[in-house]
Amino acid sequence: MAEGRLELSVWRHPKPIGAAGRCIGQTDLPVDPRRAKRLAHRIRQTARREGLPHVVATSPLRRGADVGRWLRRWGWRHQIDARLIELDFGAWDGRRWSAIAHAEVLAWEAAFLHHAPGGGESLRQLHTRLVDALGAVRAGQLPRLVVGHAGWITLLGCLDGVAQDRLSASAWPAPPRYGQRIRHAD
């Protein structure tokens, strides 16, 4: 890694059980243990192939932390850090999208970065956590290998060239696939 340069590898957690059709942020859904183990194995293979350290960070939510626990069983260090947790959707969290009033969704779309959906957390607040976590990676307090969540990873991708002030709901990129690896360098 070049001096002062941040190189981060983030894998999206495995598909959680029971998420279909629901607004899932900080709702702690389980994942199939076999999928968690498979993703942990892929991360381990990547680290071996690329000479990466055997240290991974996850949020406390099971869908990421279960992957970290598998890696820990294989001799890795696993750090749990709340800055890596998914967006807090407040009263929306865990509800079916169809049960959330359309007017509430439109209010979020109208002030996409600053509105806290369901009274939870705005994307601007998530951005603050993200920048803080990236600073911790630069300072060596968090590892460069992370198992993350779609909102966090997608916002990380927006730091790679999309001016945040122009970010809107209609321009929000598609989330990474479950288990997909995203690389971030700046």
Side-chain angles (χ1 to χ4, degrees):
M1 181 165 74
E3 182 79 25
R5 185 170 165 83
L6 171 68
E7 295 178 7
L8 184 68
S9 286
V10 184
W11 285 264
R12 185 175 179 197
H13 61 75
K15 183 177 182 178
I17 298 168
R22 295 172 59 194
C23 175
I24 303 298
Q26 295 184 7
T27 299
D28 196 11
L29 295 177
V31 295
D32 181 320
R34 294 169 298 184
R35 289 182 181 203
K37 184 177 182 180
R38 262 195 303 269
L39 180 54
H41 182 67
R42 285 191 14 239
I43 293 169
R44 186 171 68 162
Q45 286 179 318
T46 299
R48 186 179 307 129
R49 185 175 51 251
E50 296 180 14
L52 300 171
H54 292 181
V55 183
V56 67
T58 71
S59 85
L61 298 176
R62 289 181 286 176
R63 53 195 189 259
D66 284 356
V67 176
R69 287 184 194 94
W70 274 108
L71 289 165
R72 187 175 60 225
R73 287 181 189 125
W74 298 330
W76 283 50
R77 241 181 54 229
H78 173 213
Q79 289 180 244
I80 294 178
D81 193 298
R83 291 174 288 197
L84 303 176
I85 203 164
E86 181 60 285
L87 184 74
D88 178 2
F89 283 99
W92 294 9
D93 216 308
R95 291 176 57 198
R96 298 203 68 69
W97 280 105
S98 60
I100 299 169
H102 187 65
E104 291 181 46
V105 175
L106 290 176
W108 182 29
E109 289 176 355
F112 193 55
L113 287 175
H114 302 284
H115 183 80
E121 175 182 40
S122 70
L123 285 172
R124 180 62 73 197
Q125 290 169 306
L126 177 61
H127 176 261
T128 298
R129 280 197 289 115
L130 171 61
V131 169
D132 190 42
L134 293 176
V137 172
R138 279 190 194 92
Q141 299 161 348
L142 270 180
R144 296 183 297 133
L145 305 180
V146 172
V147 177
H149 301 278
W152 198 94
I153 298 169
T154 305
L155 191 54
L156 176 67
C158 291
L159 296 177
D160 289 338
V162 176
Q164 284 192 32
D165 292 339
R166 291 183 299 194
L167 192 59
S168 65
S170 62
W172 187 249
R177 294 179 317 277
Y178 292 110
Q180 181 178 351
R181 179 186 184 191
I182 304 297
R183 296 179 188 184
H184 171 78
D186 67 7

